[in-house]
Amino acid sequence: MKVPNENEKLRMDFVQVDIEEVVKYFAERLQRRFIYDPSMLTGKITIISPTDVTLREAWAAFLSAMEVRGYIVFPAGAFLKIEKAANARKSPVPVITGYTREAGVRSLKRK
């Protein structure tokens, strides 16, 4: 996924914020569409950066925070789909494992 304005600087201060609110924030900032089950996407995340970061760095931090909470984010056509990582073992979804500049999202590899 290409990150628009990837070098744009912003300050991240998400302290115990509902995950769905953070997803909405990135949907707007990245101009991307997400698909997820709201009953499954629960919990709060904290991402704090006392200094400005690029939008690309913010996106990487978001993906890491989602991983910590047990979720994966992967391309599904023109959308980004969010699933529980445990479900990835049961269905043919790619697992986010690393970052590539070409994709603009973490690499998707099946283990």
Side-chain angles (χ1 to χ4, degrees):
M1 178 188 86
K2 180 155 174 45
V3 176
N5 303 316
E6 66 183 35
N7 294 318
E8 173 187 345
K9 296 282 189 166
L10 56 99
R11 176 105 11 124
M12 295 181 63
D13 189 21
F14 299 112
V15 179
Q16 290 295 307
V17 177
D18 287 331
I19 293 172
E20 192 170 10
E21 292 303 313
V22 180
V23 169
K24 289 177 184 176
Y25 172 83
F26 278 99
E28 291 175 15
R29 294 302 295 243
L30 297 172
Q31 302 165 10
R32 293 293 295 195
R33 296 170 276 189
F34 286 82
I35 297 174
Y36 58 89
D37 176 356
S39 67
M40 173 272 312
L41 191 63
T42 60
K44 297 181 183 293
I45 57 176
T46 297
I47 306 172
I48 301 170
S49 176
T51 59
D52 290 347
V53 296
T54 65
L55 189 52
R56 180 174 293 284
E57 292 168 329
W59 174 245
F62 167 73
L63 292 176
S64 293
M66 293 296 281
E67 181 181 359
V68 165
R69 294 294 299 171
Y71 296 102
I72 60 170
V73 180
F74 60 94
F79 292 81
L80 293 173
K81 188 173 179 181
I82 301 172
E83 282 281 345
K84 287 199 174 266
N87 294 346
R89 293 179 192 94
K90 300 174 188 173
S91 61
V93 296
V95 178
I96 296 174
T97 61
Y99 182 81
T100 62
R101 182 173 292 277
E102 299 80 37
V105 297
R106 291 184 179 210
S107 298
L108 305 173
K109 296 179 184 172
R110 193 79 171 139
K111 291 187 178 186

